[in-house]
Coordinates of all heavy atoms in Angstrom, one line a residue:
M1 N 94.2 91.4 122.2 CA 94.1 92.1 120.9 C 92.7 92.5 120.6 O 91.8 91.7 120.8 CB 94.6 91.1 119.7 CG 95.9 91.2 119.4 SD 96.4 90.6 117.7 CE 96.8 88.9 118.1
G2 N 92.4 93.8 120.2 CA 91.2 94.2 119.8 C 90.9 93.8 118.3 O 91.8 93.3 117.6
S3 N 89.7 94.1 117.9 CA 89.4 93.7 116.5 C 90.2 94.3 115.5 O 90.5 93.8 114.4 CB 87.9 93.9 116.3 OG 87.6 95.4 116.4
R4 N 90.6 95.7 115.7 CA 91.5 96.4 114.7 C 92.8 95.6 114.7 O 93.3 95.5 113.6 CB 91.7 97.8 115.2 CG 92.6 98.7 114.4 CD 92.0 98.9 113.0 NE 93.0 99.5 112.1 CZ 93.2 99.1 110.9 NH1 92.6 98.2 110.3 NH2 94.1 99.8 110.2
D5 N 93.4 95.1 115.9 CA 94.6 94.3 115.8 C 94.4 93.1 114.9 O 95.3 92.8 114.2 CB 95.1 94.0 117.1 CG 95.5 95.2 118.0 OD1 95.8 96.2 117.3 OD2 95.3 95.1 119.2
L6 N 93.2 92.4 115.2 CA 93.1 91.2 114.3 C 92.9 91.6 112.8 O 93.4 90.7 111.9 CB 91.8 90.5 114.8 CG 91.8 90.0 116.2 CD1 90.5 89.4 116.6 CD2 92.9 88.9 116.4
E7 N 92.3 92.7 112.5 CA 92.3 93.0 111.1 C 93.7 93.4 110.4 O 93.9 93.1 109.4 CB 91.5 94.4 110.9 CG 90.0 94.2 111.2 CD 89.2 95.4 111.3 OE1 89.8 96.5 111.0 OE2 87.9 95.4 111.6
I8 N 94.6 93.9 111.3 CA 95.9 94.2 110.8 C 96.6 92.9 110.6 O 97.3 92.7 109.5 CB 96.7 95.1 111.9 CG1 96.1 96.5 111.9 CG2 98.2 95.1 111.5 CD1 96.6 97.3 113.1
V9 N 96.4 91.9 111.5 CA 97.1 90.6 111.3 C 96.5 89.9 110.1 O 97.3 89.4 109.2 CB 97.0 89.7 112.6 CG1 97.5 88.2 112.4 CG2 97.7 90.3 113.7
G10 N 95.3 90.0 110.0 CA 94.6 89.4 108.7 C 95.1 90.0 107.5 O 95.4 89.2 106.5
K11 N 95.1 91.3 107.5 CA 95.6 91.9 106.2 C 97.0 91.6 105.9 O 97.4 91.4 104.7 CB 95.5 93.5 106.4 CG 95.8 94.4 105.2 CD 95.6 95.8 105.4 CE 95.9 96.6 104.2 NZ 95.8 98.0 104.4
T12 N 98.0 91.5 106.9 CA 99.3 91.0 106.7 C 99.3 89.7 106.2 O 100.0 89.5 105.2 CB 100.1 91.1 108.1 OG1 100.1 92.5 108.5 CG2 101.5 90.7 107.9
I13 N 98.6 88.8 106.6 CA 98.5 87.5 106.2 C 98.1 87.3 104.7 O 98.7 86.8 103.8 CB 97.7 86.5 107.0 CG1 98.3 86.3 108.4 CG2 97.4 85.1 106.3 CD1 97.4 85.6 109.4
R14 N 96.9 88.1 104.5 CA 96.6 88.2 103.0 C 97.5 88.7 102.0 O 97.8 88.2 100.9 CB 95.3 89.0 102.9 CG 94.7 89.2 101.4 CD 93.5 90.1 101.4 NE 92.4 89.3 101.9 CZ 91.4 89.7 102.7 NH1 91.6 91.0 103.3 NH2 90.5 88.9 103.2
Q15 N 98.2 89.8 102.5 CA 99.3 90.4 101.6 C 100.4 89.4 101.3 O 100.9 89.3 100.2 CB 99.8 91.7 102.2 CG 98.9 92.8 102.2 CD 99.3 94.0 103.1 OE1 100.1 94.0 104.0 NE2 98.6 95.2 102.8
L16 N 100.8 88.8 102.3 CA 101.8 87.8 102.2 C 101.5 86.6 101.3 O 102.3 86.1 100.4 CB 102.4 87.3 103.6 CG 103.2 88.2 104.4 CD1 103.3 87.7 105.9 CD2 104.5 88.6 103.8
R17 N 100.2 86.1 101.5 CA 99.7 85.0 100.6 C 99.6 85.5 99.2 O 100.1 84.7 98.4 CB 98.4 84.7 101.2 CG 97.6 83.6 100.4 CD 96.3 83.2 100.8 NE 95.3 84.4 100.9 CZ 94.7 84.9 99.8 NH1 95.0 84.4 98.6 NH2 93.8 85.9 100.0
E18 N 99.1 86.7 98.9 CA 99.0 87.1 97.5 C 100.3 87.4 96.9 O 100.5 87.1 95.7 CB 98.1 88.4 97.5 CG 96.6 88.1 97.8 CD 95.8 89.3 98.0 OE1 96.4 90.5 98.0 OE2 94.5 89.2 97.9
A19 N 101.3 87.8 97.8 CA 102.6 88.0 97.3 C 103.4 86.7 96.8 O 104.1 86.8 95.8 CB 103.5 88.7 98.4
I20 N 103.0 85.7 97.3 CA 103.5 84.4 96.9 C 102.6 83.6 95.8 O 102.9 82.5 95.4 CB 104.0 83.4 98.0 CG1 102.8 83.0 98.9 CG2 105.2 84.1 98.8 CD1 103.2 81.9 99.9
G21 N 101.5 84.3 95.5 CA 100.5 83.8 94.5 C 99.8 82.5 94.9 O 99.6 81.7 94.1
I22 N 99.3 82.4 96.2 CA 98.6 81.2 96.4 C 97.2 81.6 96.9 O 96.9 82.8 97.4 CB 99.3 80.2 97.4 CG1 99.4 80.9 98.9 CG2 100.6 79.8 96.9 CD1 99.9 80.1 100.0
S23 N 96.4 80.7 96.8 CA 94.8 81.0 97.3 C 94.7 80.7 98.7 O 95.7 80.1 99.3 CB 93.9 80.0 96.5 OG 94.2 78.7 96.8
Q24 N 93.5 81.2 99.3 CA 93.2 80.8 100.6 C 93.3 79.3 100.8 O 93.6 78.7 101.8 CB 92.0 81.3 101.0 CG 91.9 82.9 101.2 CD 90.5 83.4 101.6 OE1 89.5 82.7 101.6 NE2 90.5 84.6 102.1
E25 N 92.7 78.5 99.8 CA 92.6 77.1 99.9 C 94.0 76.5 100.0 O 94.2 75.5 100.8 CB 91.8 76.7 98.7 CG 91.5 75.1 98.8 CD 90.6 74.7 97.7 OE1 90.5 75.5 96.6 OE2 90.1 73.5 97.8
E26 N 94.9 77.0 99.2 CA 96.4 76.5 99.2 C 97.1 76.8 100.5 O 97.7 75.9 101.1 CB 97.1 77.0 98.0 CG 98.7 76.6 98.1 CD 98.8 75.1 97.8 OE1 97.9 74.3 97.4 OE2 99.9 74.6 98.3
L27 N 96.8 78.0 101.1 CA 97.4 78.4 102.3 C 96.8 77.5 103.4 O 97.5 77.0 104.2 CB 97.1 79.8 102.7 CG 97.6 80.3 104.0 CD1 99.1 80.0 104.2 CD2 97.1 81.7 104.3
A28 N 95.5 77.2 103.4 CA 94.9 76.4 104.4 C 95.4 74.9 104.3 O 95.7 74.4 105.3 CB 93.3 76.4 104.2
F29 N 95.6 74.4 103.1 CA 96.3 73.1 102.9 C 97.6 73.1 103.5 O 98.0 72.1 104.3 CB 96.2 72.7 101.4 CG 96.9 71.4 101.1 CD1 96.3 70.2 101.3 CD2 98.2 71.4 100.7 CE1 96.9 69.1 101.1 CE2 98.9 70.2 100.3 CZ 98.2 69.2 100.6
R30 N 98.4 74.0 103.2 CA 99.8 74.1 103.6 C 99.8 74.1 105.2 O 100.8 73.7 105.8 CB 100.6 75.2 103.1 CG 100.7 75.1 101.5 CD 101.6 76.3 101.0 NE 101.8 76.3 99.6 CZ 102.5 77.0 98.9 NH1 103.2 78.0 99.5 NH2 102.6 76.9 97.7
A31 N 98.8 74.9 105.8 CA 98.9 75.1 107.2 C 98.0 74.0 108.0 O 98.0 74.1 109.2 CB 98.3 76.5 107.5
S32 N 97.5 73.1 107.2 CA 96.6 72.1 107.9 C 95.4 72.7 108.6 O 95.1 72.3 109.7 CB 97.4 71.2 108.6 OG 98.3 70.5 108.0
L33 N 94.9 73.7 108.0 CA 93.6 74.4 108.5 C 92.6 74.4 107.5 O 92.7 74.1 106.3 CB 94.0 75.8 108.9 CG 95.1 76.0 110.0 CD1 95.6 77.4 110.2 CD2 94.5 75.5 111.4
H34 N 91.4 74.9 107.9 CA 90.3 74.8 106.9 C 90.2 76.2 106.1 O 90.6 77.2 106.7 CB 88.9 74.6 107.7 CG 87.8 74.4 106.8 ND1 87.1 75.2 106.1 CD2 87.3 73.1 106.5 CE1 86.2 74.6 105.4 NE2 86.2 73.3 105.6
R35 N 89.8 76.1 104.9 CA 89.9 77.3 104.1 C 89.0 78.5 104.7 O 89.3 79.7 104.7 CB 89.4 77.1 102.7 CG 89.3 78.2 101.7 CD 88.6 78.1 100.5 NE 87.1 77.6 100.7 CZ 86.2 78.4 101.2 NH1 86.4 79.7 101.3 NH2 85.0 77.9 101.4
T36 N 87.8 78.1 105.3 CA 86.9 79.2 105.9 C 87.5 79.8 107.1 O 87.3 80.9 107.4 CB 85.4 78.5 106.2 OG1 85.8 77.4 107.1 CG2 84.8 78.1 105.0
Y37 N 88.4 78.9 107.8 CA 89.1 79.5 108.9 C 90.2 80.6 108.4 O 90.2 81.7 109.0 CB 89.9 78.4 109.7 CG 90.7 78.9 110.8 CD1 90.1 79.2 112.0 CD2 92.1 79.2 110.7 CE1 90.8 79.7 113.2 CE2 92.8 79.6 111.8 CZ 92.1 79.9 113.1 OH 92.9 80.3 114.1
I38 N 90.8 80.4 107.4 CA 91.7 81.2 106.8 C 91.2 82.6 106.3 O 91.5 83.7 106.6 CB 92.6 80.7 105.6 CG1 93.5 79.4 106.0 CG2 93.5 81.7 104.9 CD1 94.6 79.8 107.0
G39 N 89.9 82.4 105.7 CA 89.1 83.6 105.3 C 88.8 84.4 106.5 O 88.8 85.6 106.5
G40 N 88.3 83.8 107.6 CA 87.9 84.5 108.8 C 89.1 85.2 109.3 O 89.0 86.3 109.8
V41 N 90.3 84.6 109.3 CA 91.5 85.2 109.9 C 91.9 86.4 109.1 O 92.1 87.5 109.6 CB 92.6 84.2 109.9 CG1 93.9 84.9 110.2 CG2 92.5 83.1 111.0
E42 N 91.8 86.3 107.7 CA 92.2 87.4 106.8 C 91.2 88.5 107.0 O 91.6 89.7 106.8 CB 92.2 86.9 105.4 CG 93.5 86.1 105.1 CD 93.6 85.7 103.6 OE1 92.7 86.1 102.9 OE2 94.6 85.1 103.4
R43 N 89.9 88.3 107.3 CA 89.0 89.4 107.5 C 88.9 90.0 108.9 O 88.3 90.9 109.2 CB 87.6 88.8 107.2 CG 87.3 88.5 105.7 CD 85.9 88.2 105.5 NE 85.4 87.1 106.2 CZ 85.5 85.9 105.8 NH1 86.2 85.5 104.7 NH2 85.0 84.9 106.5
G44 N 89.9 89.3 109.8 CA 90.0 89.9 111.2 C 88.8 89.5 112.0 O 88.6 90.1 113.1
E45 N 88.1 88.3 111.7 CA 87.0 87.9 112.4 C 87.4 86.8 113.4 O 86.6 86.4 114.1 CB 85.9 87.2 111.4 CG 85.4 88.2 110.4 CD 84.6 87.7 109.4 OE1 84.4 86.4 109.2 OE2 83.9 88.4 108.6
R46 N 88.5 86.2 113.2 CA 89.0 85.0 114.1 C 90.2 85.5 114.9 O 91.1 86.1 114.4 CB 89.4 83.8 113.2 CG 88.4 83.2 112.2 CD 87.2 82.7 112.9 NE 87.5 81.6 113.8 CZ 87.2 80.3 113.7 NH1 86.7 80.0 112.6 NH2 87.6 79.5 114.6
N47 N 90.1 85.1 116.1 CA 91.3 85.3 117.1 C 92.2 84.1 117.1 O 91.9 83.0 117.4 CB 90.6 85.5 118.5 CG 91.7 86.0 119.4 OD1 92.9 86.2 119.2 ND2 91.4 86.2 120.7
L48 N 93.3 84.3 116.5 CA 94.3 83.2 116.2 C 94.9 82.7 117.6 O 95.2 83.6 118.4 CB 95.4 83.8 115.4 CG 95.2 83.8 113.9 CD1 96.1 84.9 113.4 CD2 95.5 82.5 113.2
G49 N 95.0 81.5 117.7 CA 95.8 80.9 118.7 C 97.3 80.8 118.3 O 97.6 81.0 117.1
V50 N 98.2 80.7 119.2 CA 99.5 80.7 119.0 C 99.9 79.6 117.9 O 100.6 79.7 116.9 CB 100.4 80.5 120.1 CG1 101.9 80.4 119.8 CG2 100.2 81.9 121.0
E51 N 99.4 78.4 118.2 CA 99.7 77.3 117.4 C 99.3 77.5 115.9 O 100.0 77.2 114.9 CB 99.0 76.0 117.8 CG 99.5 74.8 117.0 CD 98.8 73.6 117.8 OE1 99.2 73.3 118.9 OE2 98.0 72.8 117.1
N52 N 98.1 78.0 115.6 CA 97.7 78.4 114.4 C 98.4 79.5 113.6 O 98.6 79.5 112.5 CB 96.1 78.6 114.3 CG 95.3 77.5 114.5 OD1 95.9 76.3 114.4 ND2 94.0 77.6 114.9
L53 N 98.9 80.5 114.4 CA 99.7 81.6 114.0 C 101.0 81.0 113.4 O 101.3 81.4 112.4 CB 100.0 82.6 115.1 CG 100.8 83.8 114.7 CD1 99.9 84.9 114.0 CD2 101.5 84.5 115.9
I54 N 101.5 80.2 114.2 CA 102.9 79.4 113.8 C 102.6 78.6 112.5 O 103.4 78.7 111.6 CB 103.4 78.6 114.9 CG1 103.8 79.5 116.1 CG2 104.5 77.6 114.4 CD1 104.2 78.8 117.3
R55 N 101.5 77.9 112.4 CA 101.2 77.1 111.2 C 101.1 78.0 110.0 O 101.6 77.6 108.9 CB 99.9 76.3 111.5 CG 99.9 75.1 112.4 CD 98.6 74.5 112.4 NE 98.6 73.3 113.1 CZ 97.6 72.4 113.1 NH1 96.5 72.7 112.4 NH2 97.7 71.4 113.9
I56 N 100.4 79.0 110.1 CA 100.2 80.0 109.0 C 101.5 80.6 108.6 O 101.9 80.7 107.4 CB 99.1 81.1 109.4 CG1 97.8 80.4 109.4 CG2 99.1 82.2 108.2 CD1 96.6 81.4 109.9
A57 N 102.4 81.1 109.7 CA 103.7 81.6 109.3 C 104.5 80.5 108.5 O 105.2 80.9 107.6 CB 104.4 82.0 110.6
R58 N 104.6 79.4 109.1 CA 105.4 78.3 108.3 C 104.8 78.1 106.9 O 105.7 77.9 106.0 CB 105.4 77.1 109.2 CG 106.2 77.2 110.4 CD 106.2 75.8 111.2 NE 107.0 75.9 112.3 CZ 107.1 75.3 113.4 NH1 106.0 74.3 113.5 NH2 107.9 75.4 114.4
A59 N 103.6 78.2 106.8 CA 102.9 77.8 105.5 C 103.3 79.1 104.5 O 103.4 78.8 103.3 CB 101.5 77.7 105.7
L60 N 103.5 80.2 105.1 CA 103.9 81.4 104.2 C 105.4 81.5 104.2 O 105.9 82.4 103.5 CB 103.3 82.6 104.9 CG 101.8 82.8 104.8 CD1 101.3 83.9 105.6 CD2 101.3 82.9 103.2
D61 N 106.1 80.7 104.9 CA 107.7 80.7 104.9 C 108.2 82.0 105.4 O 109.1 82.6 105.0 CB 108.3 80.5 103.5 CG 109.7 80.0 103.6 OD1 110.1 79.6 104.7 OD2 110.5 80.3 102.7
V62 N 107.5 82.5 106.6 CA 107.9 83.7 107.3 C 107.9 83.3 108.8 O 107.5 82.3 109.2 CB 107.1 84.9 107.1 CG1 107.0 85.3 105.7 CG2 105.6 84.6 107.6
S63 N 108.6 84.2 109.6 CA 108.6 84.0 111.0 C 107.2 84.4 111.6 O 106.6 85.2 110.9 CB 109.7 84.8 111.7 OG 109.4 86.2 111.7
P64 N 106.8 83.8 112.7 CA 105.5 84.4 113.3 C 105.5 85.7 113.6 O 104.5 86.4 113.5 CB 105.5 83.5 114.6 CG 106.2 82.2 114.2 CD 107.3 82.7 113.4
T65 N 106.7 86.3 114.0 CA 106.8 87.7 114.3 C 106.4 88.7 113.0 O 105.9 89.7 113.2 CB 108.1 88.2 114.9 OG1 109.2 87.8 113.9 CG2 108.4 87.5 116.2
A66 N 106.7 88.1 111.9 CA 106.4 88.7 110.6 C 104.9 89.1 110.5 O 104.5 90.0 109.9 CB 107.0 88.1 109.5
L67 N 104.1 88.2 111.1 CA 102.6 88.3 111.0 C 102.2 89.3 112.1 O 101.0 89.9 112.0 CB 102.0 86.9 111.3 CG 102.3 85.9 110.3 CD1 101.5 84.6 110.7 CD2 102.1 86.2 108.9
L68 N 102.9 89.8 113.1 CA 102.6 90.7 114.1 C 103.2 92.0 114.1 O 102.9 92.9 114.8 CB 102.8 90.0 115.4 CG 102.1 88.7 115.7 CD1 102.7 88.0 116.9 CD2 100.6 88.8 115.8
E69 N 104.2 92.2 113.1 CA 105.1 93.3 113.1 C 104.2 94.7 113.1 O 104.6 95.7 113.6 CB 106.0 93.4 111.9 CG 107.1 92.4 112.1 CD 108.0 92.3 110.9 OE1 107.6 92.7 109.8 OE2 109.2 91.9 111.1
K70 N 103.2 94.7 112.3 CA 102.4 95.9 112.0 C 101.4 96.3 113.2 O 100.8 97.2 113.1 CB 101.7 95.9 110.6 CG 102.7 95.7 109.5 CD 102.0 95.6 108.2 CE 103.0 95.6 107.1 NZ 102.4 95.3 105.8
V71 N 101.2 95.3 114.1 CA 100.3 95.6 115.2 C 101.0 96.6 116.0 O 102.1 96.4 116.6 CB 99.9 94.4 116.0 CG1 99.1 94.6 117.2 CG2 99.3 93.3 115.1
P72 N 100.3 97.8 116.3 CA 100.9 98.9 117.1 C 101.1 98.6 118.5 O 100.3 97.7 119.1 CB 100.0 100.0 116.9 CG 98.7 99.5 116.5 CD 99.0 98.2 115.8
K73 N 102.1 99.0 119.3 CA 102.3 98.9 120.6 C 101.2 99.6 121.3 O 100.7 100.5 120.7 CB 103.7 99.3 121.1 CG 104.9 98.6 120.4 CD 106.2 99.3 121.0 CE 107.3 98.5 120.3 NZ 108.5 99.3 120.4
Q74 N 101.0 99.3 122.5 CA 99.8 99.9 123.3 C 100.1 101.5 123.3 O 99.1 102.2 123.1 CB 99.7 99.5 124.7 CG 98.6 100.0 125.4 CD 97.1 99.5 124.9 OE1 97.0 98.4 124.4 NE2 96.2 100.5 124.7
E75 N 101.2 101.9 123.6 CA 101.5 103.4 123.6 C 101.2 104.1 122.3 O 100.8 105.3 122.3 CB 102.8 103.8 124.2 CG 104.0 103.3 123.4 CD 104.6 101.8 123.8 OE1 103.8 101.1 124.6 OE2 105.7 101.4 123.5
E76 N 101.5 103.4 121.2 CA 101.2 103.9 119.9 C 99.7 104.0 119.7 O 99.2 104.9 119.1 CB 101.9 103.0 118.8 CG 103.4 103.1 118.8 CD 104.1 102.1 118.0 OE1 103.4 101.1 117.5 OE2 105.3 102.1 117.7
K77 N 98.9 103.0 120.2 CA 97.6 103.0 120.1 C 96.9 104.2 120.9 O 96.0 104.8 120.5 CB 96.9 101.6 120.5 CG 97.3 100.6 119.5 CD 96.7 99.2 120.1 CE 95.3 99.1 120.2 NZ 94.7 97.9 120.5
D78 N 97.5 104.5 122.1 CA 97.0 105.4 122.9 C 97.5 107.0 122.5 O 97.0 107.9 123.1 CB 97.5 105.3 124.3 CG 96.9 103.9 124.9 OD1 95.8 103.5 124.4 OD2 97.4 103.4 126.0
G79 N 98.4 106.9 121.6 CA 99.0 108.2 121.2 C 100.1 108.7 121.9 O 100.4 109.9 121.8
D80 N 100.6 108.0 122.7 CA 101.7 108.4 123.6 C 103.1 108.1 123.0 O 104.1 108.5 123.6 CB 101.7 107.7 125.0 CG 100.5 108.0 125.9 OD1 99.8 109.2 125.6 OD2 100.1 107.3 126.7
G81 N 103.2 107.3 121.9 CA 104.4 107.0 121.4 C 104.7 107.4 120.1 O 104.4 108.0 119.1

């Protein structure tokens, strides 16, 4: 994933978090992660591992794929799709 992809995932997480009305701190607590880590993820500065992606998805009560849905396929990124 490039930095643009990380920004898309982070934005998705932020939107889902805000939609359920919880803070970064609350999301971090629910996912057993640190608040500053969640902030970095939402800004697209952190490369999520699968385990942390799953933790965040569960904390948001969504499937892990919901966090990745908006990341374009390679051919879409290249303009072929």
Side-chain angles (χ1 to χ4, degrees):
M1 272 202 264
S3 63
R4 180 68 184 129
D5 295 333
L6 295 176
E7 289 173 10
I8 292 168
V9 172
K11 183 177 179 180
T12 301
I13 290 169
R14 178 179 285 130
Q15 289 171 341
L16 290 167
R17 175 181 61 76
E18 289 175 346
I20 61 174
I22 63 172
S23 66
Q24 286 181 347
E25 186 172 17
E26 178 63 21
L27 177 57
F29 175 76
R30 291 180 184 190
S32 298
L33 297 167
H34 197 276
R35 182 195 55 78
T36 59
Y37 179 80
I38 296 296
V41 167
E42 288 188 356
R43 290 188 301 275
E45 298 170 353
R46 303 295 304 251
N47 190 0
L48 282 151
V50 173
E51 186 173 298
N52 288 344
L53 183 82
I54 292 169
R55 285 179 174 195
I56 291 170
R58 286 180 176 157
L60 292 169
D61 198 28
V62 298
S63 71
T65 57
L67 304 181
L68 302 172
E69 285 177 338
K70 295 179 183 175
V71 176
K73 296 177 186 172
Q74 187 62 43
E75 59 269 13
E76 292 169 349
K77 289 174 68 171
D78 294 340
D80 295 336

